[in-house]
């Protein structure tokens, strides 16, 4: 299996290390031609919200994370930008699991990551695949049958489940375990390494 996308999450106290490490993984895959150059790679920044009150905050967080990721990768892995790398920045509604990219228009111009050159937001094959696949996953997640499955499962197994995962997103735990989609809550960081003292992780657990 090959990494085509780098998922950026704000859990680590110092996210520079996981960003730089993952960027080097993507660069290695490109240099060794494990990834076709024309397909490219994606740096994906996705922040979640549970209600409309939190949506604006989530959008601002996505913007700031994108700009931080860009500056970090430019400094630590500048060779990565010689390839077809694109940024996919947006928010995810926890209730539907639908990812919506930030778009630059009159209403959201203050939310758009202005420090990143616009050519890095042009799409490539991997970005298109991610958006299309997410739409299908969202439709499956909100299907009434899947909703009923989650209700039945939670009634029988009221314990909340969190999975600490790596940033590459290759493990499909609902498929592996047979648990309905949306029961296992994934948390991602480089190498699946977490510290229980990280405030961002604590806030996510508490919510």
């Amino acid at each position: 299996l090959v990494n085509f996308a780098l998922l950026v999450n704000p859990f680590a106290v110092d996210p520079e290390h996981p960003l730089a490490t993952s960027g080097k993984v993507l660069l290695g895959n490109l240099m060794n031609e494990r990834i076709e150059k024309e397909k490219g790679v994606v740096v994906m920044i996705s922040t979640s919200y549970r209600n409309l009150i939190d949506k604006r905050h989530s959008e601002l967080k996505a913007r700031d994370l994108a700009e931080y990721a860009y500056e970090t990768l430019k400094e630590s892995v500048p060779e990565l930008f010689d390839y077809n790398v694109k940024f996919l920045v947006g928010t995810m509604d926890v209730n539907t699991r639908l990812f919506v990219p930030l778009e630059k228009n009159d209403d959201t111009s203050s939310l758009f990551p202005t420090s990143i050159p616009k050519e890095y937001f042009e799409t490539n094959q991997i970005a298109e695949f991610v958006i299309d696949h997410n739409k299908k996953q969202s439709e499956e997640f909100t299907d009434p049958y899947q909703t009923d499955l989650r209700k039945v499962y939670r009634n029988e197994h009221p314990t909340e489940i969190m999975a600490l995962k790596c940033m590459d997103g290759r493990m499909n735990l609902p498929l592996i375990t047979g648990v309905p989609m949306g029961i296992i809550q994934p948390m991602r960081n480089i190498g699946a390494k977490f510290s229980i003292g990280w405030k961002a992780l604590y806030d996510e657990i508490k919510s």
Side-chain angles (χ1 to χ4, degrees):
L1 293 175
V2 176
N3 298 306
F4 291 92
L6 163 61
L7 308 177
V8 179
N9 287 297
F11 290 115
V13 175
D14 178 15
E16 182 176 343
H17 171 67
L19 275 171
T21 302
S22 298
K24 291 173 183 177
V25 170
L26 291 179
L27 178 62
N29 285 333
L30 286 163
M31 293 179 65
N32 292 305
E33 299 183 348
R34 289 190 290 267
I35 297 176
E36 298 177 27
K37 295 179 182 179
E38 53 273 12
K39 286 186 176 180
V41 294
V42 171
V43 178
M44 181 175 181
I45 290 85
S46 175
T47 57
S48 61
Y49 65 93
R50 289 177 171 78
N51 53 63
L52 291 178
I53 296 175
D54 296 332
K55 185 178 180 181
R56 177 76 176 188
H57 175 71
S58 183
E59 291 170 336
L60 291 170
K61 184 191 293 185
R63 180 201 63 188
D64 293 346
L65 273 174
E67 294 182 337
Y68 179 83
Y70 173 75
E71 295 298 335
T72 300
L73 292 171
K74 264 292 188 180
E75 181 177 345
S76 58
V77 200
E79 303 90 343
L80 183 63
F81 292 87
D82 294 334
Y83 295 87
N84 183 15
V85 57
K86 302 300 178 185
F87 277 69
L88 188 56
V89 184
T91 60
M92 189 270 292
D93 185 345
V94 171
N95 303 297
T96 63
R97 298 300 199 267
L98 183 64
F99 173 81
V100 179
L102 294 182
E103 295 183 1
K104 190 169 185 178
N105 55 47
D106 293 339
D107 295 328
T108 62
S109 57
S110 63
L111 298 173
F112 204 75
T114 55
S115 67
I116 305 175
K118 63 180 180 180
E119 60 263 27
Y120 293 120
F121 289 97
E122 297 170 359
T123 189
N124 63 17
Q125 290 186 41
I126 303 303
E128 290 173 356
F129 167 79
V130 169
I131 292 175
D132 182 63
H133 186 67
N134 169 257
K135 288 180 180 178
K136 293 176 182 177
Q137 291 286 296
S138 176
E139 290 172 358
E140 180 180 351
F141 180 80
T142 55
D143 182 83
Y145 175 71
Q146 288 292 330
T147 302
D148 289 342
L149 280 181
R150 286 193 295 276
K151 289 179 180 179
V152 171
Y153 187 91
R154 288 188 182 281
N155 285 334
E156 296 179 353
H157 309 281
T159 303
E160 294 295 329
I161 304 173
M162 178 180 291
L164 305 183
K165 305 169 71 175
C166 192
M167 295 169 75
D168 57 16
R170 291 180 291 181
M171 293 182 64
N172 188 337
L173 291 182
L175 182 63
I176 294 171
T177 61
V179 172
M181 183 187 300
I183 297 295
I184 301 175
Q185 302 300 319
M187 302 293 152
R188 302 185 187 279
N189 195 48
I190 184 72
K193 296 179 180 179
F194 287 80
S195 171
I196 197 66
W198 289 347
K199 184 179 184 302
L201 178 62
Y202 171 77
D203 291 342
E204 191 67 26
I205 293 172
K206 188 171 67 172
S207 65

